[in-house]
Amino acid sequence: MRDDRFKVTVDDSMRLITIRLRGSDTSAYYADKMMTAYEGIQDPWTYNRLLDYRTFSGIIEAEDVERLAAHWASVTEGHTYSAKIAVLTKDVLTPKRASGFGYLFPQDTIRIFDDLHTALDWLNSKPSR
C-alpha cells in the first residue's frame, strides 16, 4: 500500500537519505515511520539526511523527537560519525523549535533551510576545518 504522507529515498552515490513528510497525521505516526525507515537502511549514520517538511502541516511533538533521538542513539551506538541534517521547511516557527532539540543528536550538525538547492549545496559541501 502506497503512503503519500511519508516517503524515504536513499541515494547511495550522494550518501543522502531524504525523508518527506506530508499532511498532518499524528506526531507519533511520523516518528514511528522514521524509526522504521532507519532500521531498513544499512549503516544510516554514514549518510547525511534531508528532512523535507515543506508539505507537512502538523507538529512533531517534543516527546516524539525525544523518542526518535533515543532510537537513533541505539542505532548508532558504538559508532563515531559526523553527519549533516538539513531541515527543509517554509514554516517560520520550525527554526526556533528545532534549535531546542540539537543536543539530542550530538554527532549531527543540523541546519534549517527554506530552499532545496541551498540545502543540497550545504549537504554536499565538505566540512571546513
Side-chain angles (χ1 to χ4, degrees):
M1 181 174 158
R2 186 172 170 198
D3 187 347
D4 291 333
R5 298 168 292 170
F6 187 88
K7 181 178 181 184
V8 177
T9 306
V10 178
D11 185 326
D12 289 321
S13 66
M14 291 179 61
R15 302 305 294 169
L16 180 66
I17 299 168
T18 301
I19 298 177
R20 290 182 178 87
L21 286 70
R22 292 179 175 210
S24 61
D25 213 314
T26 66
S27 178
Y29 167 82
Y30 294 104
D32 290 343
K33 294 294 267 186
M34 282 189 221
M35 288 186 277
T36 299
Y38 290 139
E39 288 173 1
I41 301 168
Q42 184 176 352
D43 302 335
W45 59 88
T46 64
Y47 292 80
N48 288 323
R49 300 182 301 284
L50 174 65
L51 305 179
D52 187 347
Y53 289 87
R54 291 176 296 175
T55 57
F56 175 66
S57 55
I59 294 176
I60 302 296
E61 301 291 340
E63 66 187 32
D64 289 313
V65 175
E66 291 167 352
R67 212 166 44 90
L68 183 59
H71 181 266
W72 183 253
S74 72
V75 167
T76 61
E77 185 175 9
H79 299 282
T80 301
Y81 72 95
S82 178
K84 297 177 184 177
I85 300 174
V87 178
L88 186 58
T89 183
K90 298 291 185 184
D91 177 32
V92 296
L93 296 178
T94 297
K96 189 73 163 166
R97 291 188 82 234
S99 67
F101 295 115
Y103 75 95
L104 294 170
F105 302 91
Q107 295 186 76
D108 296 304
T109 302
I110 303 169
R111 287 197 46 199
I112 311 296
F113 297 89
D114 62 5
D115 176 74
L116 175 62
H117 298 292
T118 306
L120 289 172
D121 285 347
W122 177 71
L123 286 167
N124 290 318
S125 68
K126 299 292 181 209
S128 57
R129 301 214 179 211

